Amino acid sequence: MFRLDGEVGVSYSQIYVVSDPCDYSPRMHEAFAGQNSGLCGAAVPGALFLSTGLHTGKVGFTVEVRSHAPALDPAWEEVVEVSFYPLSEQSFLLQWAGEASWELDLKEGLDYRVRYCAQGMDQAREKDVRLDDEPLQDRYLLQFWPAPPEPDRIVRQTSQDAASSHAWARKQPDAEFRVRAIMAQRRAQLTPEGAESFRDAESPNGTADMAVISRDADIQSVREQLTSLSSYPTALPWDWAATFVLPADERVGYMEAFLEEIGEHAFALGTVLASLESGQNYYLAFVTPTEFEQLSRLLTAHRMSAESVRYGRWTPRASPEQIAGSSAIRAWAVHIPQTPS
């Protein structure tokens, strides 16, 4: 068992766990998006946002990495649980602004359950600032063990400070919930275990958030599938689609060009048409720019990827022949004259 024990400094009632080498710490409103609990924010992939009662100063802090779920000590006044997936080989407990850090023995590619426990939050909140020569106000325990992803939950709550934090978290936008719903549909298409692994991420209204489109699909079926999505932007124009007719002997890059045309119009409306690592089919979803960023990070954590379906952004890895074919079809479809070579 890995154990880290002592006192750590907090600022603005915050301390973090980070595993993404590109980020220092998650933003608070994003970390708690879609959660019930407000003490340990886990909505940003590869990061945890830990709230404390004390605003500034040192708190008692213990971290444990275990092989199995530990028994719950009744001495802890506040207890919440979340799930966590490290994004790299190194994870750290990190103070505000990177002032100090401690490496944690967490493995990349392994799902963990996390239990965050607290004592003395109300008295620490009233104290606000603790000087080095003053007695300890609040203590915290952070435990990790391997476990499949599950929704966050409040195990125990006794203090007013924790109650306020939980109430605040429930008011945050639930964009992350929809992002996880889209990812659940994607994984369910790939593996029989996918739906069970992300059973907490079912679409809240029972309607689809993702369209699975064959590469050989016709234009009308693509349109029908996209317009049936719960997130379909109703203002999306289709007046150009009538001119998008393909000669029978020119299929190179055709579907890519058609989808890129849709993606450009969607982008003009402030919506992203996202492709989720297409493979044999196209997995498409309409998302907001913020949701697209969250979806990209979440998919990256699970060895997948998301791309914005737009001109010059979606098909840079295509062969020169495909790019030429796609450009020619797109240009003809929107009545842009071709320049003779």
Side-chain angles (χ1 to χ4, degrees):
M1 180 186 76
F2 171 87
R3 183 180 175 88
L4 177 71
D5 191 27
E7 294 187 9
V8 301
V10 298
S11 298
Y12 301 99
S13 302
Q14 300 171 20
I15 193 166
Y16 324 95
V17 170
V18 295
S19 66
D20 187 344
C22 298
D23 286 335
Y24 269 115
S25 60
R27 288 176 286 188
M28 187 173 183
H29 68 282
E30 293 179 350
F32 290 95
Q35 289 198 181
N36 287 314
S37 59
L39 297 184
C40 182
V44 174
L48 298 175
F49 188 113
L50 307 170
S51 297
T52 63
L54 193 71
H55 182 278
T56 305
K58 290 187 177 181
V59 301
F61 211 97
T62 301
V63 182
E64 296 178 347
V65 180
R66 294 172 170 262
S67 57
H68 302 285
L72 178 59
D73 187 339
W76 294 104
E77 300 164 350
E78 319 300 329
V79 182
V80 299
E81 289 184 359
V82 299
S83 291
F84 179 70
Y85 186 93
L87 295 184
S88 70
E89 295 179 356
Q90 291 183 305
S91 297
F92 299 89
L93 181 68
L94 183 72
Q95 287 187 187
W96 186 82
E99 294 172 346
S101 64
W102 299 263
E103 188 168 359
L104 307 177
D105 186 21
L106 300 175
K107 300 184 183 301
E108 181 184 10
L110 184 63
D111 284 302
Y112 289 92
R113 193 61 174 170
V114 182
R115 181 181 293 158
Y116 185 46
C117 309
Q119 288 178 333
M121 292 194 73
D122 278 347
Q123 67 185 38
R125 179 68 66 182
E126 184 176 353
K127 176 66 175 173
D128 193 44
V129 177
R130 180 202 170 201
L131 303 179
D132 290 341
D133 59 350
E134 294 180 328
L136 198 65
Q137 297 294 315
D138 44 350
R139 300 176 183 273
Y140 301 88
L141 171 65
L142 186 66
Q143 297 172 309
F144 296 83
W145 65 91
E150 294 182 27
D152 76 291
R153 70 186 186 110
I154 302 170
V155 179
R156 183 179 301 151
Q157 182 259 304
T158 64
S159 71
Q160 183 58 47
D161 188 56
S164 297
S165 295
H166 297 327
W168 175 86
R170 295 187 193 104
K171 296 177 182 178
Q172 302 312 299
D174 60 353
E176 180 72 12
F177 186 89
R178 197 172 79 83
V179 166
R180 289 185 178 275
I182 294 170
M183 183 177 173
Q185 293 177 50
R186 168 67 173 130
R187 287 177 64 88
Q189 291 289 332
L190 294 176
T191 64
E193 305 82 37
E196 177 63 20
S197 297
F198 283 79
R199 59 189 179 277
D200 58 300
E202 295 177 357
S203 181
N205 55 15
T207 58
D209 276 306
M210 184 181 71
V212 182
I213 296 174
S214 167
R215 288 180 177 271
D216 297 324
D218 60 82
I219 288 176
Q220 185 59 32
S221 67
V222 173
R223 179 172 177 173
E224 289 174 355
Q225 284 184 268
L226 291 180
T227 55
S228 69
L229 294 179
S230 60
S231 55
Y232 170 71
T234 55
L236 185 68
W238 289 93
D239 54 332
W240 55 270
T243 65
F244 212 94
V245 179
L246 177 71
D249 59 346
E250 297 182 18
R251 288 205 63 86
V252 175
Y254 172 65
M255 184 58 73
E256 288 87 347
F258 182 66
L259 294 177
E260 285 181 338
E261 188 74 45
I262 298 172
E264 281 297 313
H265 286 287
F267 183 78
L269 297 174
T271 302
V272 178
L273 177 59
S275 173
L276 316 180
E277 198 184 59
S278 299
Q280 295 301 313
N281 297 309
Y282 295 105
Y283 298 82
L284 302 171
F286 288 108
V287 293
T288 67
T290 297
E291 289 171 337
F292 178 71
E293 181 180 351
Q294 292 175 323
L295 185 62
S296 297
R297 297 181 67 174
L298 191 60
L299 285 167
T300 298
H302 289 270
R303 306 299 187 270
M304 303 179 195
S305 63
E307 295 179 282
S308 175
V309 183
R310 290 186 60 207
Y311 300 164
R313 290 174 176 261
W314 192 42
T315 55
R317 293 190 296 274
S319 68
E321 293 78 13
Q322 288 175 317
I323 294 174
S326 177
S327 299
I329 294 170
R330 182 192 308 121
W332 175 81
V334 296
H335 304 293
I336 299 176
Q338 296 293 293
T339 302
S341 56

